[in-house]
Amino acid sequence: MSYAVGIDIGGTKIAIGLVDQSGQVLAKNTLPTDHSVPPSEMVDRIAAAVKQLATAAGIKEADILGIGIGAPGPLNTKLGQITEPPNMRGWWGFPVVDSFKRHFELPISFQNDATAAALAEKWIGAAKEADNFVYITISTGIGAGIYSHGKLITGATGNAGDVGHLVVDPTVGTCVCGQQGCWEYVASGTAIARQASELLGRTVTSKEVFDLALNDREPEMERLVNQVFRNIGIGCVTLINTLDPELLVIGGGVSQIGNPLFNAVRDYVAHHALNPSGRNTPVIPAALQQEAGLIGAAALVHLNY
């Protein structure tokens, strides 16, 4: 049996796992992303955790095909660098691939985290039968992985799919990227919590907002959530009109709201996609959820990306 190491780097935590050729996670661990230390020290900690996992599982380095790394963008896969992710400023310009090479002589693959998650959904998740689909993650921000004509579309530097910065409503406030009204500024989990907190005059989480809207039927929160669902639909229609996928797969924390979200988005797509066939595009939940990034990072190795 051959294994791959999957490493999913995030702003709050880093998931590490050993994944076999069938996509099963043999062993995994998570580390908090410590922003008080240099990223090179975090790589030291990750490398130590990988070696501990392998030793505990009885796996020798000779049985490991390689290491796959998923990380938030912007990044540069050609240079092996994390360039300027907004919530990881201490990592800007960090040569993450070269840093891991200090610890391992294994091949290293590196892609955007949403791109890696899309590959996981293709490999063993909700998109196994699709050759043209978009995986959308809606959580702290919004990102996407694009799979078209039977392969990942990564772009020149690995940043294809940074759809959170499509402009949806330029009449509202300024996104972290400097544009007005980006998709993630109006429809991410962060956006939901921010807008609701402003309306209510107190700090609330996105989960609390959905509870207030869908369970308590609080009118102001209902209006907000309906607008968020509409904004998610607008982004989905933009992707359908641009890429003509056969399937949209939605994951991330906001997708956990389930049917209210998916029914609203399907309805919007059915009414507003340009092409009649696009109006019938299935919009379905991701299958892998919290492990998509980890499995996707390992898939970069197992599927030779």
Side-chain angles (χ1 to χ4, degrees), residues 104-297:
F104 302 100
E105 295 183 359
L106 296 164
I108 298 175
S109 299
F110 175 50
Q111 289 292 345
N112 179 279
D113 50 5
T115 297
L119 188 59
E121 292 290 340
K122 170 61 181 174
W123 188 22
I124 61 168
K128 286 188 287 188
E129 307 303 320
D131 283 331
N132 298 273
F133 74 93
V134 182
Y135 166 82
I136 305 161
T137 178
I138 307 175
S139 54
T140 304
I142 297 179
I146 303 166
Y147 196 91
S148 184
H149 298 284
K151 63 180 182 179
L152 283 176
I153 303 300
T154 59
T157 57
N159 291 294
D162 217 343
V163 298
H165 299 283
L166 295 170
V167 173
V168 168
D169 185 356
T171 66
V172 299
T174 304
C175 178
V176 292
C177 75
Q179 292 198 106
Q180 303 293 310
C182 288
W183 195 15
E184 71 175 43
Y185 186 80
V186 298
S188 66
T190 304
I192 295 164
R194 185 195 73 246
Q195 293 170 93
S197 297
E198 291 171 357
L199 289 168
L200 295 170
R202 58 186 175 90
T203 300
V204 290
T205 66
S206 58
K207 184 180 184 303
E208 289 174 303
V209 176
F210 286 123
D211 285 339
L212 288 168
L214 302 174
N215 297 328
D216 298 345
R217 307 305 296 266
E218 201 284 324
E220 203 168 32
M221 293 300 97
E222 282 190 294
R223 285 192 293 272
L224 172 60
V225 166
N226 287 336
Q227 183 60 52
V228 166
F229 289 165
R230 183 176 185 274
N231 286 334
I232 293 172
I234 290 169
C236 288
V237 165
T238 301
L239 293 174
I240 290 168
N241 291 347
T242 304
L243 297 168
D244 192 25
E246 62 193 274
L247 182 68
L248 293 183
V249 179
I250 302 182
V254 172
S255 73
Q256 298 297 299
I257 198 63
N259 284 334
L261 166 65
F262 284 91
N263 290 339
V265 172
R266 289 169 187 143
D267 183 67
Y268 192 91
V269 166
H271 284 89
H272 296 290
L274 183 63
N275 189 18
S277 66
R279 296 170 205 153
N280 296 318
T281 305
V283 182
I284 66 171
L288 302 177
Q289 294 301 339
Q290 299 305 315
E291 289 193 333
L294 171 62
I295 295 171

